[in-house]
Amino acid sequence: MRFIIFGPPGAGKGTYASRLGSKLKIPKISTGDMFREAIKQDTDLGKRVAQFVNKGELVPDKVAIEILEERISKPDSENGFILDGYPRTIAEAKALDQSPTMDAIIRLIVPEWVIIERLSNRRTCRNCGAIYNVKYLKPKKEGVCDRCGGELYQREDDKPKVIRERLRVYEAQTRALIDYYKGKVPFVDIECRSVDVPPETIVKKIQRKLQKMSLIK
Ligand code: AMP
């Protein structure tokens, strides 16, 4: 069960991948989460990537590849994983080809207005990384994570100026990646044309499609 989840920033990738991962008992691996954690802990890696992440620019391939390879070699990835936010470039995709092939690419198709609405209202837990939305996926108590009690904050790159830069970068990179994987790995297309569809509905849709393709039980 080796999946990649693809979709513009704010498509809901993180939320769906976490939920799907729990159901399938495989980890969601998000390079973005790993970079944010490193920045928070102010590690060497954090110091190297902060300038890129905070501006919405891609971290250099070499750094992203190294961190991903280290992560997928951990024992919890033995039965598979869901990659969220990786690969972002052809060089990253090629590095991933060194390991067994992916089983499917889950591709979220989301109109731009839905993305803007989602991202500008998104809040992230400073402690555990859980994702909320001040309009559509509210925590029980404002500003506090339901899961761990951590403080919810707005990511630097979820602010409007940076959102636009991230969408621009995403558009520029995605076309090439889709071409790269066409014919190599099956695509599972999931349409999300509204802001307030409960995440569980989308996750079920993904599960049904993966089952139909005999990729999961
Ligand atoms: P995300 O949470 O996936 O939107 O990622 C947040 C930020 O982390 C991105 O805007 C990039 O700066 C960086 N990043 C995450 N994953 C990658 C990757 N695979 N390659 C390069 N940069 C990445």
Side-chain angles (χ1 to χ4, degrees):
M1 291 189 287
R2 298 159 71 91
F3 304 120
I4 297 172
I5 189 159
F6 250 15
K13 288 192 302 287
T15 308
Y16 307 145
S18 292
R19 289 175 185 236
L20 185 65
S22 309
K23 284 174 196 273
L24 302 177
K25 301 194 169 56
I26 51 176
K28 169 195 97 159
I29 297 181
S30 155
T31 38
D33 284 350
M34 289 191 276
F35 293 140
R36 276 186 291 280
E37 182 61 24
I39 294 170
K40 189 174 109 188
Q41 305 286 346
D42 202 23
T43 61
D44 285 347
L45 173 70
K47 289 192 181 82
R48 276 162 78 195
V49 301
Q51 49 171 327
F52 302 102
V53 175
N54 291 335
K55 279 193 286 188
E57 289 169 10
L58 290 183
V59 163
D61 287 332
K62 194 170 168 287
V63 181
I65 290 169
E66 204 178 293
I67 199 104
L68 192 273
E69 286 182 343
E70 194 186 307
R71 179 64 188 85
I72 63 176
S73 64
K74 291 196 172 157
D76 69 337
S77 302
E78 235 165 53
N79 294 326
F81 44 76
I82 305 172
L83 299 183
D84 162 15
Y86 188 101
R88 295 273 236 282
T89 66
I90 300 293
E92 290 181 4
K94 283 193 170 150
L96 194 59
D97 282 348
Q98 310 299 317
S99 57
T101 46
M102 296 292 121
D103 294 306
I105 293 175
I106 300 158
R107 181 165 55 168
L108 304 175
I109 297 169
V110 192
E112 189 170 313
W113 72 268
V114 172
I115 292 166
I116 307 270
E117 183 72 8
R118 280 241 186 89
L119 281 184
S120 53
N121 291 307
R122 178 158 82 172
R123 297 295 180 271
T124 305
C125 174
R126 224 179 256 292
N127 184 45
C128 73
I131 296 158
Y132 298 87
N133 184 296
V134 293
K135 278 197 191 162
Y136 307 104
L137 191 64
K138 291 184 188 175
K140 289 196 184 84
K141 191 172 166 212
E142 197 187 317
V144 180
C145 178
D146 292 347
R147 206 155 75 183
C148 75
E151 182 204 352
L152 304 185
Y153 78 113
Q154 183 172 37
R155 275 167 46 176
E156 212 37 60
D157 58 349
D158 280 347
K159 297 187 174 161
K161 210 174 118 211
V162 189
I163 293 176
R164 279 193 287 275
E165 171 64 9
R166 290 167 70 201
L167 284 175
R168 194 191 62 72
V169 170
Y170 177 78
E171 287 304 328
Q173 302 281 347
T174 309
R175 215 165 282 277
L177 279 173
I178 288 176
D179 286 346
Y180 179 81
Y181 280 114
K182 229 175 238 168
K184 275 194 188 159
V185 178
F187 282 85
V188 178
D189 282 348
I190 305 289
E191 305 242 353
C192 324
R193 302 217 169 266
S194 138
V195 198
D196 52 356
V197 186
E200 203 48 34
T201 307
I202 303 281
V203 173
K204 289 222 169 91
K205 214 159 135 180
I206 300 173
Q207 273 185 298
R208 273 197 303 274
K209 284 208 173 180
L210 292 175
Q211 279 161 348
K212 250 188 177 164
M213 295 166 76
S214 306
L215 292 170
I216 61 169
K217 287 201 194 104

